Amino acid sequence: MKKFTTVNDIGNLDQAVKEALEVKNNRFGYSDLGRNRTLLMVFFNSSLRTRLSTQKAALNLGMNVIVLDVNQGAWKLETERGVIMDGDKAEHMLEAIPVMGSYCDIIGVRSFARFEDKRADYDEEILEQFIKYSGRPVFSMEAATRHPLQSFADLITIEEHKLTKRPKVVMTWAPHPRALPQAVPNSFAEWINAADYDFVITHPHGYELDPIFTQNARIEYDQDKALEGAAFVYAKNWAAYTDPNYGKILSTDRSWTIDSRKMALTNNAYFMHCLPVRRNMIVTDDVIESDRSIVIPEAANREISAQVVLKRMLESLK
Ligand code: AN0
Ligand code: CP
C-alpha cells in the first residue's frame, strides 16, 4: 500500500477487517517487519488518540518513530507557490516535505480543514503535497475531508459488536461550541456505505454533507425518527458544508444532544463517538457512561487500524 487516504485504498473491506482481527489477536507477530524502518508523524493539529495509537502500532511492528508538531518548534510553513516570502513564514512546504521524506520510510500527516477556502480544503492541498513531494508512502491521520484511520477503527468496532449482518447504523449531528471539520462524518459515511449497512444520517437543515460521501444513505431531518430501531448511534458535530455557509455554525440546539430518552428510541443501540467529546453538548454523562457506550473499545481499535495500514505499507516497501 503506497497511500492511505480514502476507503478505496484499503481494498476489500471483509479482508481488511479479517486482517485487523488477526493483528488484534497477535499484535507482536510482525515485530520484525518494521526493523530499521522509520515512521514520521507530522501534526499540523492537536491529537491524543491518533498520536498515541499510531505510535503504538508502529512500535508493535518494530519501527522507529519520529513525531513533528509543525506548530511547536518547527519553522512556520508557506503552503502557496509563488508567494513572496517576506512575512512570518520562514520555510516553504516544497523544501520541507522532501526534507522530511529523506529522514523516514513512511509518513503520516494530520492536517485539518482550515475553513478559509473550501476548494483548498476539499482538494486536500496539504496532504496531496506530501503525496507528491515526499517520495514516501503517505497515510492520513485526519486530513481536510476524511479521517480514514478513525473510520476503519469504527468499522472494526461495529463488526465486533453487531448482532445482525446488516445492522441499522445512525450517524447523528449533535451540537458543539466550535466549528468542526466534516472529515469524520464524511469518512464515516464513505466507509459505512462501502460496508453496505442500513445507514441513516440525521442532522438539522443546512448541515447536508457532500453527496460524494453520503451517496445513497437515507437522510432524515427528524432525529427521533432516525433513531428508531438503531443498533448503533454514531454522534458527531460538524460545521456546515454547503455554500454560502461553509465552515459556519448554524445551530447549537441542545435538543439534538444524545440523552437517555433518545437512546430509548433505539433498539438498545450502542453509542459511538470518535472522541474527543464534549459531554452534555454531544452526549449526556449517563449515556457515555452507560454499558451501551463503546467509545473506549472504539478508541482502542485505533491501534489496530493503524497497525494494519502500517503493516501493509511496510510489506510494500520490501
Ligand atoms: C476534530 C474533528 O472534529 O475533526 C478531531 C476529531 C477526531 N475534533 C475537534 O477538533 C474537537
Ligand atoms: N479520534 C481522534 O482522532 O482523536 P485525536 O484527535 O485525539 O487524535
Side-chain angles (χ1 to χ4, degrees):
M1 190 192 289
K2 291 290 180 199
K3 172 179 98 70
F4 177 71
T5 65
T6 84
V7 71
N8 298 322
D9 297 319
I10 200 82
N12 181 284
L13 281 189
D14 290 335
Q15 197 58 46
V17 171
K18 196 166 157 262
E19 191 173 336
L21 298 177
E22 279 164 18
V23 160
K24 193 164 178 172
N25 280 323
N26 185 21
R27 279 166 223 241
F28 303 106
Y30 303 89
S31 56
D32 285 337
L33 190 61
R35 199 147 62 91
N36 296 337
R37 297 290 191 187
T38 299
L39 168 66
L40 170 62
M41 298 163 62
V42 181
F43 288 94
F44 288 84
N45 311 93
S46 305
S47 165
L48 185 152
R49 276 143 293 275
T50 304
R51 180 184 298 270
L52 296 179
S53 62
T54 310
Q55 190 158 345
K56 176 63 163 61
L59 295 173
N60 293 349
L61 291 163
M63 298 186 81
N64 301 312
V65 184
I66 318 176
V67 182
L68 178 68
D69 288 294
V70 174
N71 301 322
Q72 283 168 30
W75 303 107
K76 251 189 133 163
L77 293 179
E78 177 58 61
T79 54
E80 299 302 314
R81 207 170 156 277
V83 170
I84 298 168
M85 288 175 58
D86 61 355
D88 61 340
K89 292 174 181 159
E91 177 154 29
H92 203 286
M93 293 264 285
L94 291 172
E95 284 77 51
I97 291 174
V99 167
M100 292 184 215
S102 73
Y103 304 140
C104 65
D105 301 285
I106 297 175
I107 304 189
V109 180
R110 166 162 287 203
S111 148
F112 290 177
R114 292 188 282 188
F115 288 150
E116 286 162 9
D117 177 348
K118 183 174 180 173
R119 188 202 50 79
D121 288 344
Y122 272 70
D123 284 353
E124 291 286 8
E125 280 192 343
I126 308 278
L127 183 67
E128 288 300 327
Q129 290 197 58
F130 274 88
I131 291 168
K132 210 160 153 193
Y133 300 117
S134 70
R136 302 295 175 203
V138 170
F139 64 96
S140 164
M141 301 196 298
E142 185 173 342
T145 62
R146 294 174 177 87
H147 193 359
L149 285 174
Q150 181 65 48
S151 310
F152 186 12
D154 295 337
L155 179 70
I156 297 165
T157 310
I158 292 173
E159 285 295 309
E160 288 176 321
H161 288 84
K162 74 180 189 182
L163 297 174
T164 59
K165 190 171 179 324
R166 218 170 156 269
K168 178 171 176 182
V169 177
V170 179
M171 179 169 83
T172 178
W173 179 93
H176 192 280
R178 301 256 163 83
L180 298 186
Q182 297 98 25
V184 170
N186 283 345
S187 208
F188 186 73
E190 181 174 79
W191 284 67
I192 296 308
N193 278 322
D196 192 33
Y197 297 138
D198 177 11
F199 187 34
V200 179
I201 303 173
T202 183
H203 54 69
H205 286 276
Y207 278 99
E208 293 76 15
L209 294 163
D210 184 340
I212 282 178
F213 301 102
T214 56
Q215 297 170 35
N216 295 327
R218 266 184 293 146
I219 312 293
E220 172 58 66
Y221 293 97
D222 181 336
Q223 191 193 37
D224 282 6
K225 223 166 135 193
L227 291 170
E228 275 170 23
F232 294 87
V233 173
Y234 192 91
K236 184 72 185 85
N237 173 267
W238 62 89
Y241 166 74
T242 50
D243 295 321
N245 293 320
Y246 179 66
K248 293 209 175 101
I249 295 174
L250 306 179
S251 167
T252 50
D253 180 358
R254 286 183 41 228
S255 74
W256 282 77
T257 302
I258 296 296
D259 60 13
S260 52
R261 186 190 72 79
K262 300 280 170 61
M263 290 302 284
L265 300 169
T266 70
N267 183 16
N268 197 24
Y270 286 109
F271 175 81
M272 299 179 72
H273 189 280
C274 64
L275 309 181
V277 73
R278 293 202 182 219
R279 285 178 173 222
N280 305 309
M281 288 295 296
I282 303 280
V283 58
T284 56
D285 291 314
D286 56 332
V287 169
I288 198 167
E289 290 170 6
S290 76
D291 60 1
R292 303 309 287 174
S293 168
I294 51 173
V295 296
I296 307 302
E298 179 185 1
N301 277 334
R302 290 292 306 276
E303 176 183 343
I304 309 306
S305 62
Q307 193 167 335
V308 171
V309 169
L310 287 171
K311 174 175 166 284
R312 289 190 180 186
M313 285 191 161
L314 287 168
E315 284 165 350
S316 76
L317 291 177
K318 292 203 287 190

